[in-house]
Amino acid sequence: MLASFKSIGAYVPEKILSNEDLEKMVDTSDEWIQKRTGIRERRIAEDEITSDMGVKAGEIAISRAGLRKDEIDAVICATISPDYFCMPSTANMISHKLGLNPVTSFDISAACTGFIYALNMAKSFVQSGTFKNVLIIGAEKLSSIVDYEDRTTCILFGDGAGAAVIGRTEMQQEAIIDVHTGADANYSDYLITPGGGSAEPTSLETIKNRRHFMKMQGNATFKVAVKTLTKDVIEILEKNGIDSNEIDHFVPHQANYRIIKAVGDALKMPKEKVALTVGKYGNTSSASIPMAINDLYESGKLKRGELMLLDAFGGGLTWGSALVPFGGE
Ligand code: ACO
Protein backbone atom coordinates (compact mmCIF):
# COMPACT_ATOMS: atom_id res chain seq x y z
CA MET A 1 0.00 0.00 0.00
CA LEU A 2 1.29 3.50 -0.83
CA ALA A 3 0.46 6.69 1.09
CA SER A 4 -0.20 10.04 -0.53
CA PHE A 5 -0.56 13.66 0.66
CA LYS A 6 -4.10 14.15 -0.67
CA SER A 7 -5.04 17.67 0.36
CA ILE A 8 -4.17 20.74 2.38
CA GLY A 9 -6.16 23.29 4.39
CA ALA A 10 -5.42 26.04 6.89
CA TYR A 11 -7.04 28.62 9.10
CA VAL A 12 -5.79 31.79 10.76
CA PRO A 13 -7.71 33.90 13.27
CA GLU A 14 -8.66 37.43 12.22
CA LYS A 15 -6.90 39.52 14.86
CA ILE A 16 -3.50 40.84 13.79
CA LEU A 17 -0.79 41.64 16.33
CA SER A 18 1.70 43.89 14.55
CA ASN A 19 5.24 44.81 15.50
CA GLU A 20 3.93 48.29 16.26
CA ASP A 21 1.43 46.77 18.72
CA LEU A 22 4.30 44.92 20.42
CA GLU A 23 6.30 48.15 20.70
CA LYS A 24 3.57 49.32 23.11
CA MET A 25 3.81 46.13 25.20
CA VAL A 26 7.57 45.46 25.61
CA ASP A 27 10.89 47.24 24.98
CA THR A 28 11.30 46.37 21.28
CA SER A 29 11.01 47.95 17.85
CA ASP A 30 9.60 47.07 14.46
CA GLU A 31 13.08 47.57 13.04
CA TRP A 32 14.71 45.08 15.48
CA ILE A 33 12.03 42.45 14.92
CA GLN A 34 12.11 42.71 11.12
CA LYS A 35 15.90 42.74 10.94
CA ARG A 36 16.40 39.79 13.32
CA THR A 37 13.41 37.64 12.31
CA GLY A 38 11.68 38.91 9.16
CA ILE A 39 8.38 38.98 11.08
CA ARG A 40 6.00 41.93 10.47
CA GLU A 41 2.86 40.62 12.14
CA ARG A 42 1.22 37.49 13.55
CA ARG A 43 -2.37 36.33 14.19
CA ILE A 44 -3.92 35.99 17.63
CA ALA A 45 -6.94 33.83 18.50
CA GLU A 46 -9.30 35.63 20.86
CA ASP A 47 -12.47 33.60 21.48
CA GLU A 48 -11.24 30.51 19.63
CA ILE A 49 -9.22 27.71 21.21
CA THR A 50 -6.75 25.34 19.53
CA SER A 51 -9.33 22.73 18.52
CA ASP A 52 -11.59 25.40 16.94
CA MET A 53 -8.77 26.37 14.58
CA GLY A 54 -7.91 22.71 13.94
CA VAL A 55 -11.55 22.03 13.02
CA LYS A 56 -11.62 24.85 10.47
CA ALA A 57 -8.38 23.71 8.83
CA GLY A 58 -9.51 20.07 8.97
CA GLU A 59 -12.86 20.78 7.32
CA ILE A 60 -11.10 22.39 4.36
CA ALA A 61 -8.59 19.52 4.05
CA ILE A 62 -11.35 16.87 4.11
CA SER A 63 -13.42 18.70 1.52
CA ARG A 64 -10.41 19.30 -0.78
CA ALA A 65 -9.58 15.57 -0.56
CA GLY A 66 -13.09 14.93 -1.94
CA LEU A 67 -13.98 12.81 1.09
CA ARG A 68 -17.04 12.56 3.32
CA LYS A 69 -16.38 13.00 7.02
CA ASP A 70 -17.28 9.35 7.66
CA GLU A 71 -14.36 8.31 5.45
CA ILE A 72 -11.78 9.67 7.93
CA ASP A 73 -10.42 6.80 10.06
CA ALA A 74 -8.06 8.62 12.42
CA VAL A 75 -7.10 12.11 13.57
CA ILE A 76 -3.61 13.07 14.74
CA CYS A 77 -3.07 16.56 16.11
CA ALA A 78 0.40 17.98 16.68
CA THR A 79 0.34 20.77 19.24
CA ILE A 80 2.22 22.29 22.18
CA SER A 81 -0.77 24.47 23.12
CA PRO A 82 -3.54 21.88 23.56
CA ASP A 83 -7.08 22.75 24.66
CA TYR A 84 -6.47 20.92 27.95
CA PHE A 85 -3.37 19.98 29.87
CA CYS A 86 -3.07 16.14 29.89
CA MET A 87 -6.57 15.22 28.72
CA PRO A 88 -8.71 15.04 26.71
CA SER A 89 -6.51 15.31 23.65
CA THR A 90 -7.04 18.16 21.21
CA ALA A 91 -7.39 15.59 18.40
CA ASN A 92 -10.26 14.04 20.34
CA MET A 93 -11.97 17.44 20.63
CA ILE A 94 -11.42 18.09 16.90
CA SER A 95 -12.91 14.70 15.91
CA HIS A 96 -15.97 15.45 18.01
CA LYS A 97 -16.44 19.02 16.76
CA LEU A 98 -16.02 17.85 13.16
CA GLY A 99 -18.76 15.27 13.73
CA LEU A 100 -16.54 12.36 12.67
CA ASN A 101 -17.28 8.77 13.61
CA PRO A 102 -15.71 7.96 16.99
CA VAL A 103 -12.32 7.34 15.41
CA THR A 104 -8.80 6.91 16.81
CA SER A 105 -7.66 10.38 17.86
CA PHE A 106 -4.50 11.43 19.65
CA ASP A 107 -2.01 14.27 20.02
CA ILE A 108 1.69 14.42 19.28
CA SER A 109 4.07 16.60 21.28
CA ALA A 110 7.14 17.36 19.17
CA ALA A 111 6.97 21.18 19.13
CA CYS A 112 7.62 22.75 15.72
CA THR A 113 8.43 19.33 14.22
CA GLY A 114 5.04 17.93 15.25
CA PHE A 115 3.46 18.04 11.79
CA ILE A 116 6.31 15.97 10.32
CA TYR A 117 6.01 13.46 13.17
CA ALA A 118 2.25 13.26 12.46
CA LEU A 119 2.94 12.82 8.74
CA ASN A 120 5.32 9.95 9.52
CA MET A 121 2.72 8.15 11.65
CA ALA A 122 -0.08 8.72 9.15
CA LYS A 123 2.11 7.40 6.33
CA SER A 124 2.86 4.24 8.35
CA PHE A 125 -0.82 3.73 9.24
CA VAL A 126 -1.85 4.01 5.58
CA GLN A 127 1.01 1.88 4.25
CA SER A 128 0.33 -0.88 6.78
CA GLY A 129 -3.38 -0.91 5.93
CA THR A 130 -4.35 0.03 9.51
CA PHE A 131 -6.25 3.12 8.30
CA LYS A 132 -7.36 4.33 4.88
CA ASN A 133 -7.57 8.09 5.45
CA VAL A 134 -5.83 9.91 8.27
CA LEU A 135 -6.44 13.60 9.04
CA ILE A 136 -3.26 15.21 10.36
CA ILE A 137 -3.39 18.64 11.93
CA GLY A 138 -0.90 21.15 13.31
CA ALA A 139 -2.82 23.61 15.49
CA GLU A 140 -1.51 26.15 17.93
CA LYS A 141 -2.82 28.86 20.20
CA LEU A 142 0.70 29.85 21.21
CA SER A 143 -0.61 33.14 22.57
CA SER A 144 -1.87 31.05 25.52
CA ILE A 145 1.68 29.95 26.51
CA VAL A 146 3.66 33.04 25.46
CA ASP A 147 4.83 35.52 28.11
CA TYR A 148 3.88 38.97 26.79
CA GLU A 149 6.32 40.48 29.31
CA ASP A 150 9.28 38.62 27.73
CA ARG A 151 10.51 40.48 24.65
CA THR A 152 12.83 37.64 23.64
CA THR A 153 9.92 35.28 22.89
CA CYS A 154 6.66 37.24 22.55
CA ILE A 155 7.69 38.85 19.27
CA LEU A 156 8.15 35.47 17.58
CA PHE A 157 4.97 33.47 17.97
CA GLY A 158 1.46 33.48 16.49
CA ASP A 159 -1.70 31.36 16.32
CA GLY A 160 -3.14 29.26 13.48
CA ALA A 161 -3.76 25.77 12.15
CA GLY A 162 -3.03 23.66 9.10
CA ALA A 163 -4.32 20.21 8.11
CA ALA A 164 -3.81 17.52 5.50
CA VAL A 165 -5.40 14.20 4.57
CA ILE A 166 -3.02 11.28 4.09
CA GLY A 167 -4.67 8.49 2.12
CA ARG A 168 -4.03 5.55 -0.19
CA THR A 169 -2.74 5.75 -3.72
CA GLU A 170 -1.73 3.23 -6.34
CA MET A 171 0.38 5.74 -8.23
CA GLN A 172 4.06 5.56 -7.30
CA GLN A 173 4.70 9.13 -8.52
CA GLU A 174 2.14 10.48 -6.01
CA ALA A 175 3.37 8.44 -3.04
CA ILE A 176 5.19 10.05 -0.10
CA ILE A 177 8.84 9.20 -0.74
CA ASP A 178 10.37 9.40 2.72
CA VAL A 179 9.99 10.97 6.16
CA HIS A 180 12.84 11.40 8.68
CA THR A 181 12.40 12.31 12.33
CA GLY A 182 14.83 12.67 15.22
CA ALA A 183 15.23 14.08 18.73
CA ASP A 184 17.97 14.94 21.21
CA ALA A 185 17.23 15.88 24.84
CA ASN A 186 20.80 17.10 25.36
CA TYR A 187 19.37 20.49 24.37
CA SER A 188 16.04 20.14 26.17
CA ASP A 189 16.54 23.38 28.10
CA TYR A 190 16.94 25.48 24.92
CA LEU A 191 13.15 25.61 24.51
CA ILE A 192 11.11 24.65 27.50
CA THR A 193 7.90 25.31 29.41
CA PRO A 194 9.31 24.46 32.84
CA GLY A 195 6.24 24.72 35.08
CA GLY A 196 3.01 22.76 35.22
CA GLY A 197 4.31 19.23 34.56
CA SER A 198 5.50 16.55 36.98
CA ALA A 199 8.94 18.21 37.12
CA GLU A 200 7.45 21.39 38.58
CA PRO A 201 3.77 20.88 39.40
CA THR A 202 1.68 24.03 39.27
CA SER A 203 1.87 26.04 42.47
CA LEU A 204 1.52 29.68 43.45
CA GLU A 205 5.32 29.81 43.22
CA THR A 206 5.49 28.47 39.62
CA ILE A 207 2.81 30.91 38.54
CA LYS A 208 4.43 33.86 40.32
CA ASN A 209 7.72 33.02 38.62
CA ARG A 210 5.98 32.71 35.23
CA ARG A 211 7.24 29.12 34.86
CA HIS A 212 4.10 28.14 32.89
CA PHE A 213 5.24 30.24 29.93
CA MET A 214 7.57 29.17 27.12
CA LYS A 215 11.27 29.98 27.67
CA MET A 216 13.89 30.00 24.96
CA GLN A 217 17.65 30.42 24.64
CA GLY A 218 17.21 32.13 21.27
CA ASN A 219 20.76 32.55 20.07
CA ALA A 220 21.88 29.03 21.04
CA THR A 221 18.74 27.60 19.42
CA PHE A 222 19.38 29.62 16.27
CA LYS A 223 22.81 28.05 15.77
CA VAL A 224 21.64 24.46 16.32
CA ALA A 225 18.59 25.13 14.10
CA VAL A 226 20.64 26.16 11.06
CA LYS A 227 23.05 23.23 11.46
CA THR A 228 20.37 20.60 12.07
CA LEU A 229 17.94 21.77 9.38
CA THR A 230 20.70 21.79 6.76
CA LYS A 231 22.15 18.41 7.77
CA ASP A 232 18.73 16.79 7.84
CA VAL A 233 17.68 17.85 4.33
CA ILE A 234 21.05 16.92 2.84
CA GLU A 235 20.72 13.45 4.41
CA ILE A 236 17.16 12.82 3.15
CA LEU A 237 18.06 14.00 -0.36
CA GLU A 238 21.21 11.83 -0.49
CA LYS A 239 19.46 8.78 0.95
CA ASN A 240 16.81 8.97 -1.76
CA GLY A 241 19.18 9.88 -4.62
CA ILE A 242 17.37 13.17 -5.26
CA ASP A 243 19.18 16.35 -6.27
CA SER A 244 18.05 19.62 -4.69
CA ASN A 245 17.23 21.00 -8.17
CA GLU A 246 14.53 18.31 -8.52
CA ILE A 247 12.62 19.94 -5.63
CA ASP A 248 9.70 22.14 -6.73
CA HIS A 249 8.96 23.64 -3.31
CA PHE A 250 11.19 23.82 -0.23
CA VAL A 251 8.88 24.28 2.77
CA PRO A 252 10.93 24.90 5.93
CA HIS A 253 9.55 25.55 9.40
CA GLN A 254 8.78 29.28 9.59
CA ALA A 255 10.73 30.35 12.70
CA ASN A 256 12.96 33.11 11.42
CA TYR A 257 13.73 34.48 7.95
CA ARG A 258 17.47 34.38 8.67
CA ILE A 259 17.32 30.64 9.47
CA ILE A 260 15.26 29.95 6.32
CA LYS A 261 17.71 31.95 4.18
CA ALA A 262 20.79 30.25 5.65
CA VAL A 263 19.36 26.77 5.00
CA GLY A 264 18.05 27.73 1.52
CA ASP A 265 21.46 29.12 0.60
CA ALA A 266 23.25 25.99 1.86
CA LEU A 267 21.00 23.94 -0.44
CA LYS A 268 21.49 26.41 -3.33
CA MET A 269 17.69 26.61 -3.49
CA PRO A 270 16.43 29.42 -5.77
CA LYS A 271 14.45 32.03 -3.79
CA GLU A 272 11.23 31.40 -5.73
CA LYS A 273 11.21 27.75 -4.60
CA VAL A 274 11.36 28.61 -0.89
CA ALA A 275 7.99 28.94 0.88
CA LEU A 276 7.91 32.03 3.07
CA THR A 277 5.08 32.99 5.42
CA VAL A 278 6.99 33.95 8.56
CA GLY A 279 6.58 37.67 7.77
CA LYS A 280 2.79 37.58 8.07
CA TYR A 281 2.19 34.73 10.53
CA GLY A 282 5.33 34.57 12.71
CA ASN A 283 6.25 31.19 14.17
CA THR A 284 3.14 29.02 14.57
CA SER A 285 5.11 25.92 15.67
CA SER A 286 3.47 22.69 14.45
CA ALA A 287 1.04 24.67 12.24
CA SER A 288 3.73 26.53 10.32
CA ILE A 289 4.54 23.93 7.64
CA PRO A 290 0.92 23.05 6.69
CA MET A 291 0.02 26.78 6.76
CA ALA A 292 2.91 27.46 4.37
CA ILE A 293 1.86 24.58 2.07
CA ASN A 294 -1.69 25.96 2.09
CA ASP A 295 -0.39 29.37 1.08
CA LEU A 296 1.36 27.82 -1.92
CA TYR A 297 -1.81 25.90 -2.81
CA GLU A 298 -4.17 28.87 -2.51
CA SER A 299 -1.88 31.12 -4.53
CA GLY A 300 -1.95 28.54 -7.35
CA LYS A 301 1.75 27.70 -7.03
CA LEU A 302 1.37 24.10 -5.84
CA LYS A 303 0.28 21.62 -8.51
CA ARG A 304 -0.48 17.90 -8.42
CA GLY A 305 2.68 15.79 -8.63
CA GLU A 306 5.06 18.61 -7.66
CA LEU A 307 7.73 17.58 -5.19
CA MET A 308 7.88 19.28 -1.78
CA LEU A 309 10.80 19.09 0.61
CA LEU A 310 9.60 19.72 4.18
CA ASP A 311 12.07 20.57 6.95
CA ALA A 312 11.36 21.33 10.61
CA PHE A 313 13.12 21.91 13.88
CA GLY A 314 11.82 22.66 17.35
CA GLY A 315 11.76 22.26 21.11
CA GLY A 316 12.91 18.91 22.48
CA LEU A 317 15.06 19.33 20.52
CA THR A 318 13.29 17.63 17.65
CA TRP A 319 13.78 17.70 13.90
CA GLY A 320 12.34 16.13 10.78
CA SER A 321 12.25 16.29 7.01
CA ALA A 322 10.08 14.77 4.32
CA LEU A 323 10.01 14.29 0.54
CA VAL A 324 6.38 14.61 -0.46
CA PRO A 325 4.81 14.84 -3.92
CA PHE A 326 1.54 16.78 -3.72
CA GLY A 327 -1.25 14.29 -4.40
CA GLY A 328 -4.19 16.71 -4.37
CA GLU A 329 -6.18 18.41 -7.11
N1 ACO B 1 13.67 43.66 20.88
C1 ACO B 1 14.85 44.33 21.04
N2 ACO B 1 15.95 43.74 21.51
C2 ACO B 1 15.89 42.44 21.83
C3 ACO B 1 14.70 41.69 21.67
C4 ACO B 1 13.56 42.35 21.19
N3 ACO B 1 12.38 41.74 21.01
N4 ACO B 1 14.94 40.41 22.05
C5 ACO B 1 16.23 40.36 22.43
N5 ACO B 1 16.80 41.57 22.29
C6 ACO B 1 18.19 41.96 22.59
C7 ACO B 1 18.86 41.01 23.55
O1 ACO B 1 18.58 41.37 24.88
C8 ACO B 1 20.32 41.22 23.20
O2 ACO B 1 20.76 42.39 23.82
P1 ACO B 1 22.26 42.50 24.41
O3 ACO B 1 23.17 42.33 23.22
O4 ACO B 1 22.30 43.85 25.01
O5 ACO B 1 22.40 41.39 25.39
C9 ACO B 1 20.30 41.46 21.69
O6 ACO B 1 18.94 41.85 21.37
C10 ACO B 1 20.67 40.26 20.85
O7 ACO B 1 19.96 39.11 21.33
P2 ACO B 1 20.11 37.69 20.68
O8 ACO B 1 19.25 36.72 21.44
O9 ACO B 1 21.57 37.35 20.55
O10 ACO B 1 19.51 37.96 19.22
P3 ACO B 1 19.46 37.01 17.96
O11 ACO B 1 20.08 37.66 16.82
O12 ACO B 1 19.90 35.61 18.30
O13 ACO B 1 17.88 36.95 17.65
C11 ACO B 1 16.04 35.42 17.96
C12 ACO B 1 16.99 36.44 18.61
C13 ACO B 1 15.22 36.15 16.94
C14 ACO B 1 15.16 34.82 19.04
C15 ACO B 1 16.87 34.30 17.27
O14 ACO B 1 17.89 33.86 18.12
C16 ACO B 1 16.05 33.10 16.82
O15 ACO B 1 15.26 33.17 15.91
N6 ACO B 1 16.30 31.92 17.43
C17 ACO B 1 15.75 30.65 16.98
C18 ACO B 1 14.30 30.46 17.29
C19 ACO B 1 13.88 29.08 16.82
O16 ACO B 1 14.22 28.64 15.74
N7 ACO B 1 13.16 28.34 17.63
C20 ACO B 1 12.87 26.95 17.26
C21 ACO B 1 11.50 26.70 16.97
S1 ACO B 1 10.38 27.32 18.17
C22 ACO B 1 9.57 25.97 18.91
O17 ACO B 1 9.95 24.84 18.83
C23 ACO B 1 8.38 26.30 19.75
Side-chain angles (χ1 to χ4, degrees):
M1 218 92 67
L2 298 170
S4 170
F5 195 102
K6 294 277 187 192
S7 66
I8 188 72
Y11 172 79
V12 286
E14 261 175 44
K15 186 182 168 184
I16 291 174
L17 182 68
S18 67
N19 291 349
E20 289 74 20
D21 295 329
L22 283 162
E23 283 177 355
K24 293 175 201 137
M25 296 160 69
V26 288
D27 180 16
T28 191
S29 66
D30 173 48
E31 192 200 349
W32 191 97
I33 301 172
Q34 291 223 37
K35 201 166 146 213
R36 300 281 178 138
T37 71
I39 301 169
R40 298 183 305 276
E41 58 188 40
R42 63 292 288 144
R43 300 299 178 101
I44 301 293
E46 293 184 290
D47 301 331
E48 296 154 307
I49 59 175
T50 301
S51 61
D52 296 328
M53 294 185 278
V55 163
K56 287 183 175 146
E59 249 162 6
I60 299 169
I62 295 170
S63 138
R64 285 182 183 160
L67 294 173
R68 296 185 314 270
K69 286 181 179 169
D70 63 4
E71 292 175 288
I72 298 294
D73 307 308
V75 178
I76 307 174
C77 180
T79 184
I80 52 166
S81 47
D83 287 3
Y84 302 103
F85 178 55
C86 306
M87 58 191 166
S89 75
T90 304
N92 200 14
M93 301 310 294
I94 292 172
S95 290
H96 175 71
K97 289 181 185 178
L98 276 172
L100 304 185
N101 290 330
V103 293
T104 297
S105 306
F106 60 93
D107 288 356
I108 284 182
S109 170
C112 305
T113 318
F115 187 77
I116 294 186
Y117 271 67
L119 175 66
N120 206 9
M121 300 205 78
K123 171 178 170 282
S124 306
F125 281 140
V126 171
Q127 284 176 341
S128 64
T130 308
F131 297 123
K132 218 167 159 183
N133 295 300
V134 182
L135 178 65
I136 59 171
I137 297 173
E140 302 286 6
K141 184 169 177 168
L142 296 177
S143 58
S144 66
I145 55 166
V146 161
D147 184 351
Y148 286 97
E149 291 183 9
D150 175 8
R151 69 174 183 172
T152 67
T153 52
C154 74
I155 53 135
L156 298 170
F157 298 102
D159 300 339
V165 172
I166 309 304
R168 287 180 186 174
T169 184
E170 278 162 21
M171 292 157 75
Q172 188 74 50
Q173 66 273 27
E174 282 184 7
I176 297 168
I177 298 170
D178 200 4
V179 186
H180 273 188
T181 47
D184 183 356
N186 275 314
Y187 306 99
S188 55
D189 57 342
Y190 279 22
L191 271 151
I192 191 164
T193 312
S198 63
E200 281 187 38
T202 307
S203 65
L204 286 176
E205 200 65 14
T206 61
I207 292 170
K208 198 177 86 203
N209 293 325
R210 310 179 83 75
R211 305 285 287 169
H212 53 296
F213 290 124
M214 220 191 307
K215 318 274 178 215
M216 181 172 70
Q217 296 179 35
N219 198 265
T221 307
F222 187 100
K223 288 174 191 151
V224 192
V226 173
K227 221 186 310 169
T228 310
L229 284 164
T230 308
K231 183 170 174 280
D232 202 35
V233 278
I234 289 172
E235 272 175 17
I236 199 170
L237 287 170
E238 278 179 6
K239 183 181 156 214
N240 292 282
I242 291 175
D243 194 274
S244 64
N245 64 24
E246 293 173 60
I247 302 298
D248 296 301
H249 304 281
F250 176 46
V251 190
H253 170 49
Q254 306 286 312
N256 183 320
Y257 173 69
R258 289 189 294 142
I259 297 178
I260 296 170
K261 182 161 182 338
V263 180
D265 288 352
L267 288 175
K268 298 192 174 59
M269 197 63 75
K271 217 171 103 200
E272 56 282 4
K273 285 190 175 183
V274 182
L276 199 60
T277 56
V278 69
K280 57 179 178 177
Y281 298 140
N283 180 347
T284 57
S285 193
S286 65
S288 100
I289 286 184
M291 282 168 66
I293 297 173
N294 186 66
D295 243 54
L296 290 175
Y297 179 80
E298 291 191 351
S299 59
K301 290 183 193 148
L302 178 61
K303 301 275 181 333
R304 189 178 191 134
E306 286 186 339
L307 183 56
M308 300 185 284
L309 173 60
L310 316 183
D311 193 17
F313 173 88
L317 296 177
T318 57
W319 59 88
S321 56
L323 283 164
V324 184
F326 184 59
E329 291 299 340

